[in-house]
């Protein structure tokens, strides 16, 4: 948006050459670039192809141009498409600080901006120009500047009625204009010429920011600026309802293979789209890419660091080799069809060495791998029915698509995810509260927390999911976290305790569900070495790896700040080494011991009701 000064105080600024002690350059020759646009497009951003263009947002002050432009910029950059926003206020503080708001100065303001936008577009960026630009002839000139250079130009009318813009009036400019303090204010005593044939009209009085962004993305996809796969649509593998009866009938006739509970959890992960874009259990090509590169490489670099595989026995392999489809059976029920199966050797020691960095057979998940089948089978998965566990917690098992809808209903403009497999103490809460505060300071209006405990298999000494969910509910009930801006849901994946390799999986799965910020803690997905008791992974490596991991560009990593109990403040606090003596580091082992022995932690360590849940669990565990 543009700001205005008092016209009776503002001295007329002319663009005439003599006013600047300059003369028009004449002896100049355009120098052609050695680098072609196609070549530039190969190295700019993380997606190949030249995408240079200008999206020109025009409309009244207060119509929402800046809000839409910044949101579009964030979306594009997060999807690997280089982009930059030129905003009216920002430009007038630098490049155009010598221009006023006379018709002549407005014309020169837009001309300069159009030339700069053309350079950004020529460099291969999507340039978003957010300017009132009230005159049709100036916008037409901006278009011609781009057309002459062979660059796409999209005029977007950000259309909000004058009365709506006046109601918004964030800077109070309309009020001042109505009072006569500002003259020549567009929409009040200076005309705004509506675009006659814009590429897109955004009705910001009736559409949300997210809906406007989707309309812009649709336009850019139609014009081949944004690739269709950049939208990262969730790929669910449930059979469509109109084909379900036929698929179920087919499943009854197919040869079957029995699967266990952990396998079934992976079926749920695939069915709900957490492992998008997989079509089913990994084939050998996908498995090798995952194992050696932590990514899928066909169709762009997509982070997928853990093998999503189905082990089968040699007997099953011999029995089923050559079939075109098989049914997967769990607890006597045919739950899915695996079509066009591909069998390949399950080289367990190599898999474990690469995935975990150890082959220690006392590691709980490695033990399961070593005891599993000698073959892996991949193929296209068709899941017959929504998966329910009937444990009283199914209402928390929201799919990525359902979570995205929840975020939309809450008008979330930022989603920050916190993965956990342990009870929440006030140190965790402090980090989540701090993240929310920082997002507000960065200009987000409605950040939403996704509190997302892992709900698949965990090792025997971890607190079981039902008790963790009960403890999380107590934390919300006591107001430690704001229930109005928090969604509690269950992530169906098994826990593998694979450290920095696994934390990438946790992160990218939340990215699929719509999170754009991810809080990573100390020693994520880690555990003590089964034999030595020392940390299996260096505790800071998980966070460091996430900041470097390929294919996670739609997420920003929020590093974990060390929190400890401040004995002076009698509360959890961010650790300050200068006052080390003030802090008490209460380890998980110590916390569990206190809960088992019925002790209470220091005031402020954990919400009282939440602690009572833990004490109850360990008390029952002792009796068992």
């Amino acid at each position: 948006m543009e700001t205005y000064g008092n016209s009776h105080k503002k001295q007329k600024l002319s663009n005439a050459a003599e006013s600047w002690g300059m003369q028009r350059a004449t002896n100049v020759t355009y120098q052609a670039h050695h680098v072609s646009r196609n070549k530039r497009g190969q190295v700019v951003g993380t997606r190949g192809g030249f995408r240079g263009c200008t999206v020109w947002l025009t409309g009244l002050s207060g119509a929402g141009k800046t809000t839409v432009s910044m949101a579009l910029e964030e979306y594009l950059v997060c999807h690997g498409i280089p982009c930059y926003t030129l905003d009216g206020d920002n430009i007038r503080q630098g490049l155009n600080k010598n221009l006023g708001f006379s018709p002549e100065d407005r014309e020169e303001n837009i001309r300069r901006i159009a030339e700069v936008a053309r350079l950004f577009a020529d460099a291969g960026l999507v340039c978003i120009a957010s300017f009132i630009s009230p005159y049709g002839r100036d916008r037409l000139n901006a278009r011609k500047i781009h057309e002459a250079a062979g660059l796409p130009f999209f005029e977007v009318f950000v259309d909000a009625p004058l009365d709506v813009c006046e109601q918004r009036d964030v800077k109070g400019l309309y009020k001042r204009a109505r009072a006569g303090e500002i003259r020549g204010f567009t929409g009040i005593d200076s005309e705004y010429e509506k675009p006659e044939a814009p590429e897109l009209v955004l009705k910001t009085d009736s559409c949300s920011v997210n809906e406007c962004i989707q309309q812009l993305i649709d336009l850019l996809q139609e014009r081949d600026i944004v690739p269709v796969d950049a939208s990262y649509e969730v790929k669910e593998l449930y059979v469509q309802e109109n084909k379900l009866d036929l698929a179920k009938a087919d499943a009854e006739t197919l040869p079957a293979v029995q699967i266990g509970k952990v396998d079934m959890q992976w079926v749920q992960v695939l069915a709900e789209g957490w492992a998008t874009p997989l079509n089913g259990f990994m084939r050998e090509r996908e498995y090798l890419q995952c194992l050696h590169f932590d990514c899928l490489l066909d169709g762009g670099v997509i982070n997928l660091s853990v093998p999503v595989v189905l082990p089968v026995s040699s007997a099953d392999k011999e029995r089923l080799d050559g079939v075109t489809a098989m049914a997967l059976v769990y607890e006597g029920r045919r739950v899915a069809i695996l079509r066009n199966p591909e069998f390949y050797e399950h080289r367990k020691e190599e898999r474990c060495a690469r995935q975990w960095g150890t082959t220690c057979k006392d590691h709980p998940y490695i033990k399961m791998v070593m005891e599993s089948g000698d073959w892996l089978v991949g193929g296209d998965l068709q899941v017959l029915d929504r998966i329910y566990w009937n444990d009283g917690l199914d209402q928390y098992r929201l799919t990525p698509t359902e979570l995205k809808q929840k975020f939309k209903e809450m008008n979330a403009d930022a989603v920050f995810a916190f993965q956990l497999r342990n009870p929440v103490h006030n140190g965790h809460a402090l980090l989540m509260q701090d993240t929310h505060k920082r997002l507000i300071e960065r200009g987000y209006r409605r950040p939403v927390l996704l509190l997302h405990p892992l709900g698949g298999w965990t090792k025997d000494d971890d607190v079981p999911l039902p008790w963790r969910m009960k403890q999380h509910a107590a934390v919300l009930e006591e107001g430690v976290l704001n229930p109005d801006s928090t969604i509690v849901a269950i992530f169906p994946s098994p826990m593998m305790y694979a450290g920095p390799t696994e934390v990438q999986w946790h992160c990218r799965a939340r990215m699929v569900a719509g999170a754009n910020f991810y809080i990573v803690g100390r020693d994520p997905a880690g555990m003590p070495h089964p034999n030595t008791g020392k940390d299996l992974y260096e505790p800071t490596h998980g966070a460091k790896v996430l900041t470097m991991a390929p294919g996670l560009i739609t997420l920003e990593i929020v590093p974990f700040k060390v929190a400890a109990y401040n004995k002076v403040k009698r509360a959890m606090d961010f650790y300050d080494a200068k006052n080390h003596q003030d802090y008490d580091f209460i380890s998980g082992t110590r916390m569990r011991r206190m809960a088992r022995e019925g002790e209470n932690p220091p005031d402020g360590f954990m919400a009282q009701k939440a602690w009572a849940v833990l004490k109850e669990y360990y008390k029952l565990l002792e009796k068992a």
Side-chain angles (χ1 to χ4, degrees), residues 464-496:
L465 178 64
W467 287 96
R468 283 186 280 131
M469 293 300 292
K470 192 174 179 180
Q471 195 265 355
H472 301 341
V475 168
L476 287 168
E477 185 182 339
E478 291 206 29
V480 177
L481 297 172
N482 184 358
D484 293 334
S485 58
T486 302
I487 293 177
V488 181
I490 293 173
F491 177 46
S493 174
M495 187 74 200
M496 290 161 280

Side-chain angles (χ1 to χ4, degrees), residues 525-583:
M527 61 171 282
H529 193 287
N531 296 337
T532 67
K534 296 180 179 179
D535 288 331
L536 189 54
Y537 307 102
E538 205 286 327
T540 67
H541 282 183
K544 291 175 181 176
V545 166
L546 274 189
T547 63
M548 299 182 284
L552 296 178
I553 53 175
T554 69
L555 270 171
E556 184 173 330
I557 306 304
V558 182
F560 191 87
K561 293 182 180 179
V562 177
Y565 183 74
N566 188 313
K567 295 176 287 187
V568 176
K569 295 181 179 179
R570 298 177 65 82
M572 295 299 289
D573 190 20
F574 291 126
Y575 175 66
D576 182 358
K578 291 181 292 185
N579 300 306
H580 176 76
Q581 70 282 356
D582 295 343
Y583 292 90

